[in-house]
Amino acid sequence: ERGARSERERETMSWTELTTFNAFDAYDDGIVRGFKSALLTELDYENLMQCNSLEDVKMFLQATDYGTFLSNVVELDPATIVEKATQRMVEEYNYLVGNAGETLSAYLDFLRHPYMIDNIVLVLSGTTRNDSSLSKLLEACHPMGMFEELLTVGVASTPKELYELVLIESPVGKYFRNFQFEDMHELKPELIRARLYQAYLEDFYDFCVTRC
């Protein structure tokens, strides 16, 4: 009886989701399908392997859905191509988030958290060792992990101040709550990242179980 009731509940939920799909999720679904169809195919990659120069790569990509994303680049190099392709990915991601419903938007935000954690650890390790300027550290951060509070890390002189003045209001600030900030100077960046990732994965798991 309990199993039958559970099955009926799933069927009812499924029909309810279907009746509201067009209103809340159809446009997002269309966006994702469009992004998927724009991915390079195996044949495209085989053709890229035949290119003799980066200019040939640029011309080939212009005939794909990547279009003219390299048109304003004067001097091509692999790092610039990666930068421009990443920028395009971030723009498409932000467009999807901007048109997503509440649950999907929250889910997509979770996908950015690892990049945010990596950026924070990069900035934190660089500033505590004083081995690079803040502007250079921010340039090295991944665009997917950029957030407003990260741009103001210069106001903090200690890891504890960094949390209290900057990170506490950030999307990943809650993952720092159990840190002993007095010990952060002695912790290796890899250990800080691992602890933050653990808190993030537990939070993401709870979200998927309760909201998805």
Side-chain angles (χ1 to χ4, degrees):
E1 181 181 352
R2 180 179 300 175
R5 184 171 64 250
S6 178
E7 183 66 28
R8 287 195 300 270
E9 289 174 352
R10 284 197 294 268
E11 291 179 358
T12 302
M13 184 178 297
S14 177
W15 279 108
T16 303
E17 291 173 348
L18 287 174
T19 57
T20 60
F21 177 79
N22 285 338
F24 298 105
D25 300 310
Y27 186 64
D28 303 322
D29 181 71
I31 294 174
V32 173
R33 290 177 184 273
F35 289 162
K36 181 180 179 181
S37 67
L39 294 175
L40 297 181
T41 64
E42 182 177 352
L43 179 60
D44 289 330
Y45 283 107
E46 291 177 357
N47 290 331
L48 280 173
M49 292 173 62
Q50 306 304 316
C51 294
N52 296 318
S53 67
L54 293 179
E55 284 295 333
D56 291 343
V57 172
K58 177 180 177 180
M59 292 188 63
F60 175 80
L61 291 177
Q62 286 178 345
T64 69
D65 284 315
Y66 277 89
T68 58
F69 82 112
L70 295 174
S71 59
N72 296 326
V73 178
V74 178
E75 297 184 5
L76 272 179
D77 58 72
T80 301
I81 295 177
V82 171
E83 177 186 352
K84 293 296 183 180
T86 302
Q87 180 181 345
R88 176 187 171 95
M89 177 190 71
V90 173
E91 291 173 352
E92 291 178 343
Y93 168 86
N94 289 335
Y95 181 75
L96 178 60
V97 172
N99 289 279
E102 180 180 357
T103 302
L104 177 58
S105 178
Y107 179 89
L108 292 171
D109 283 339
F110 270 104
L111 301 184
R112 293 184 60 211
H113 289 181
Y115 296 99
M116 293 181 179
I117 291 172
D118 289 343
N119 285 352
I120 291 172
V121 173
L122 172 65
V123 171
L124 185 61
S125 60
T127 53
T128 54
R129 293 198 307 264
N130 296 317
D131 58 0
S132 186
S133 66
L134 178 59
S135 60
K136 290 184 178 180
L137 290 171
L138 292 176
E139 288 177 3
C141 289
H142 196 287
M144 277 287 286
M146 296 299 294
F147 54 97
E148 184 178 355
E149 292 82 2
L150 190 64
L151 304 178
T152 63
V153 295
V155 302
S157 58
T158 66
K160 186 175 182 180
E161 286 185 359
L162 181 65
Y163 172 72
E164 294 176 345
L165 300 178
V166 179
L167 298 179
I168 192 171
E169 297 295 336
S170 73
V172 294
K174 55 188 173 181
Y175 304 141
F176 285 85
R177 291 172 184 165
N178 296 326
F179 259 93
Q180 297 295 326
F181 292 96
E182 294 78 6
D183 300 331
M184 287 190 71
H185 285 290
E186 302 177 2
L187 294 177
K188 294 182 179 180
E190 294 77 12
L191 182 56
I192 297 175
R193 181 183 290 107
R195 290 187 180 180
L196 293 174
Y197 265 54
Q198 179 181 358
Y200 154 71
L201 291 171
E202 291 173 352
D203 188 32
F204 195 13
Y205 174 81
D206 290 340
F207 173 85
C208 291
V209 170
T210 59
R211 297 280 300 277
C212 297

